[in-house]
Structure formats: C-alpha cells, structure tokens
Amino acid sequence: MKALEQKILNEGKVLPGNILKVGSFLNHQLDVAFLMEMGEEIASLFASDGVSKILTIEASGIAIAVAAAAKMNVPVVFAKKNKTSNIPDDVYASEVKSFTHGTTYKVVVSKEFLNKGDRVLIVDDFLANGNALIGLKEITHLSGAEAVGAAIAIEKGFQGGGDALRNQGFRVESLAIVDEMSDTSIKFR
Amino acid sequence: MKALEQKILNEGKVLPGNILKVGSFLNHQLDVAFLMEMGEEIASLFASDGVSKILTIEASGIAIAVAAAAKMNVPVVFAKKNKTSNIPDDVYASEVKSFTHGTTYKVVVSKEFLNKGDRVLIVDDFLANGNALIGLKEITHLSGAEAVGAAIAIEKGFQGGGDALRNQGFRVESLAIVDEMSDTSIKFR
C-alpha cells in the first residue's frame, strides 16, 4: 500500500535495536482516517474468504482491527495479555515472546468468543519475528475455528517471521514490508 | 442511549464485587457495528465543542475512541500503562488506581502528541470511581491542552466517580448510567 509506505517514510523513526517508531499514526497517536483506509485495503484483500471474525491482540492491534472490522462487518475479538501464571479454565491460552520488550507472556481468549465454524482473520499492527501471530494462530486452532490468514500493517521483512509463515502455506498480507532500514533510509519489498 | 441499555440488559452479566461484564460487545469481543453507533452518539453530543483530539487509555478504551474519532474526524491518542517506576522525560505521566484490579499504575502520553491549543475529549469504555478519567484529565492539563469533557460508554453511577466530576463542573456524558445492579436486575438512571 503505497500510501502507508509514504507515511512510514514521512513519519517513521528508526531507533537502535531494529525499532521502527510509528507512534504518530499507528500505535500511540492514531490517525483514524488513515486507519480506516488501511481497514478498507484489508477488507478488499480478504473479501472472498468468508471471514466471520477478526482476532487481534491488545493493545496496539485493536485500532487497526476495528478499522478492518468496520469495513468487513464482522466482530473483533482481542486477546488479552496475562502476566499471571494462573490460566483459568474458560480461556484458550498461548505463550508469546515479545521481540520489543524481551519478555514472555501468555495471551488468552475467552472460550465464549471463538468457535468451531468461525473463519478467523488475524490482524495486527506489526509483524517482526511472528511470535504474536503464531500465538493467535494457536489460539484459533485450539478453539476449532479456522485461521484464513493474517493482515498486518507493517511487516519487518528482515526479521523473517512473515516469510516463515508463508513458507508453511499460511497467507500473510502486509500492507507494507520493510526489508532494510537504517537511520538514514528505509527500503520496502 | 436506549440501544446500549438494552444491550447491557441482554448481554451483560453482574458478578460479585460490583463487576459488570460486557465482554461480548465492549471489552473483549467488540461489536464493531454497535461501537460505530456509539461513536456517532458521542460525535453528536460534542459536535459543537471544537474537539481536536480524543484521548483514551489502553486497552479497552481504544475501540470506542476509534469509533468516535472516525465520526468526528480527529486523531486518537491512547495513554499507555507504565508499570516501571522510571518515567522518561519525554512523556506526561499521572498515577491511576484501578478499581477492578486493586492496583496502582502510571499512565503516560508522549509529549509530542498533546499540545497547548488542543481541545481534548476524553473517551473510555467504563467509568466507576473515576480514577482513570482523573489521570487523563491531569495529563491533558500538564500538556497545556484543554479537556472539553468526557464521553463514556457505561458509567457505574453508584460508585460516584462521574457525579464527583460533574459537581466540579466537568462535563461527563455517559451513554448508559447504571444506578443499581444485582444478579437479577440492572437499573439505569
């Protein structure tokens, strides 16, 4: 999506440790008009996949998931991060390693909200090593629902998570894929 | 908002400890079509207030803030919860006591995204004791921006946070106010 690449070039900041900051429009401040455009793009990419539910993860996935869901007319479920070791019986749980924070946490979804027969589109703002996405895929699988694919705003292609999933036959559509970045330049796939 | 009251009656569950669970549409699963209706209601309540920015708090405030912002054509900023004691220089910070979890945390907003001259509408999914709202008001004040009021989906009126703020002259608009609740009935103001 050219408009997203241009916005990353205009507003993104590359920080040490392979961090791409896009807090001005995607994960601290939200450019809601632009989010709705991204949502429309996601809706058109998955228009013929019979998506019945969007699954994302708190907190920064929620905004783009809502934007996509508004265009696709389906509910969103957002997985919650659970820092306690106790996992109640009434949730599906998976473990996720965070690239940005160097920590491990569990993500949980109430069993009420994912069901066999659901066709789930996973939506998130970022894809790097793919760990959050793998966790959401696992939760979908545990529920008996089918994951039809993933829609991501920004993929850091050089970290390989997206391609590893594609190589396993899982459909991953990223609106922008950064293949190289430094403090002076950002190259898209 | 009658439709919200009806939805709370149909789908809400009252749990011990004054918890009102509305995870089926507001804070775990999101009924996005209904969120957009709530967003439209908020937009019409504050249509003549010159709102330039919506401020909310992660995670469950984000969805309704995005819905309101989509109708009002303004950006959202979501405050982040910071569990470390270190507060960097480039953020505004305030302390919030969580009623639901019995904990205290700091909320922070990057100084880049709130400015003198901004007219800020605070949006959140729930209002109980009002602590999150007071924290967001304080952050707005620290930035030099003006808080024009707050729009809340569900206020637990019997916990008094909303009325305390109204008595101080702050405008709080809640789409539904629960004045009494038990496991057999919910009464609205």
Side-chain angles (χ1 to χ4, degrees):
Chain A
M1 189 182 175
K2 278 282 157 219
L4 176 56
E5 294 182 359
Q6 196 54 53
K7 211 158 164 82
I8 295 168
L9 290 174
N10 292 345
E11 301 183 29
K13 282 174 205 153
V14 178
L15 300 185
N18 280 334
I19 307 284
L20 175 60
K21 272 204 118 170
V22 287
S24 67
F25 66 95
L26 189 62
N27 48 25
H28 188 8
Q29 182 167 252
L30 304 168
D31 180 337
V32 176
F34 190 71
L35 275 174
M36 298 314 271
E37 284 177 41
M38 289 194 282
E40 197 149 3
E41 181 81 11
I42 291 169
S44 89
L45 286 165
F46 288 90
S48 54
D49 293 277
V51 172
S52 67
K53 208 159 264 193
I54 286 176
L55 178 63
T56 189
I57 184 167
E58 63 178 7
S60 56
I62 295 173
I64 185 160
V66 166
K71 303 296 178 180
M72 298 177 87
N73 226 354
V74 296
V76 168
V77 175
F78 65 89
K80 301 193 178 198
K81 294 175 183 170
N82 189 323
K83 274 130 194 166
T84 65
S85 53
N86 256 9
I87 299 294
D89 281 348
D90 58 352
V91 301
Y92 301 113
S94 175
E95 201 149 276
V96 172
K97 214 170 151 179
S98 164
F99 167 75
T100 321
H101 303 103
T103 53
T104 294
Y105 56 91
K106 290 204 175 68
V107 290
V108 300
V109 170
S110 171
K111 289 182 180 173
E112 286 178 76
F113 303 132
L114 279 181
N115 299 291
K116 203 178 153 164
D118 269 326
R119 294 179 59 79
V120 174
L121 174 62
I122 299 169
V123 172
D124 209 353
D125 59 336
F126 261 95
L127 169 57
N129 294 322
N131 292 328
L133 186 43
I134 290 166
L136 295 177
K137 254 189 88 188
E138 189 189 352
I139 281 176
T140 305
H141 181 77
L142 289 170
S143 77
E146 187 180 345
V148 303
I152 305 293
I154 303 175
E155 177 179 340
K156 293 196 278 184
F158 57 88
Q159 290 186 264
D163 289 335
L165 283 158
R166 289 183 189 101
N167 290 339
Q168 293 164 27
F170 188 66
R171 182 174 173 203
V172 179
E173 301 275 2
S174 297
L175 303 186
I177 303 179
V178 175
D179 268 340
E180 281 177 49
M181 63 183 200
S182 69
D183 50 5
T184 53
S185 82
I186 296 176
K187 282 189 188 140
F188 297 100
R189 188 171 297 181
Chain B
M1 188 182 174
K2 279 282 156 218
L4 176 57
E5 294 182 0
Q6 198 52 54
K7 210 157 166 85
I8 294 167
L9 291 173
N10 292 345
E11 302 182 30
K13 284 173 203 153
V14 178
L15 300 184
N18 280 334
I19 306 284
L20 175 60
K21 272 202 119 170
V22 288
S24 67
F25 66 95
L26 190 62
N27 48 27
H28 187 8
Q29 181 167 252
L30 305 168
D31 180 337
V32 175
F34 191 72
L35 274 174
M36 298 313 273
E37 284 178 41
M38 289 196 281
E40 197 149 2
E41 182 79 11
I42 291 170
S44 89
L45 286 166
F46 288 90
S48 54
D49 293 277
V51 172
S52 66
K53 206 160 267 191
I54 286 175
L55 178 64
T56 188
I57 185 167
E58 66 179 4
S60 55
I62 295 173
I64 185 161
V66 166
K71 303 295 178 181
M72 297 177 87
N73 224 355
V74 296
V76 168
V77 175
F78 65 88
K80 303 195 176 195
K81 294 173 183 171
N82 188 322
K83 274 130 193 164
T84 64
S85 52
N86 257 8
I87 299 295
D89 280 348
D90 57 351
V91 301
Y92 300 114
S94 176
E95 201 149 275
V96 173
K97 214 170 151 179
S98 164
F99 166 75
T100 321
H101 303 103
T103 52
T104 295
Y105 55 91
K106 290 205 175 67
V107 289
V108 299
V109 169
S110 171
K111 289 183 179 173
E112 284 178 78
F113 303 133
L114 279 182
N115 298 292
K116 203 178 155 167
D118 270 325
R119 292 178 60 81
V120 174
L121 174 63
I122 299 169
V123 173
D124 209 353
D125 58 337
F126 262 96
L127 168 57
N129 294 322
N131 293 328
L133 186 42
I134 291 166
L136 295 178
K137 254 189 89 189
E138 189 190 353
I139 281 176
T140 305
H141 181 75
L142 289 171
S143 75
E146 188 180 346
V148 303
I152 306 293
I154 304 175
E155 177 177 341
K156 294 197 279 186
F158 57 86
Q159 290 186 265
D163 289 335
L165 283 158
R166 289 183 190 101
N167 289 340
Q168 292 165 26
F170 189 65
R171 182 174 173 202
V172 179
E173 301 276 2
S174 298
L175 303 186
I177 303 179
V178 175
D179 268 340
E180 280 177 49
M181 63 183 201
S182 70
D183 50 5
T184 53
S185 83
I186 297 176
K187 282 189 189 140
F188 297 100
R189 187 171 298 182

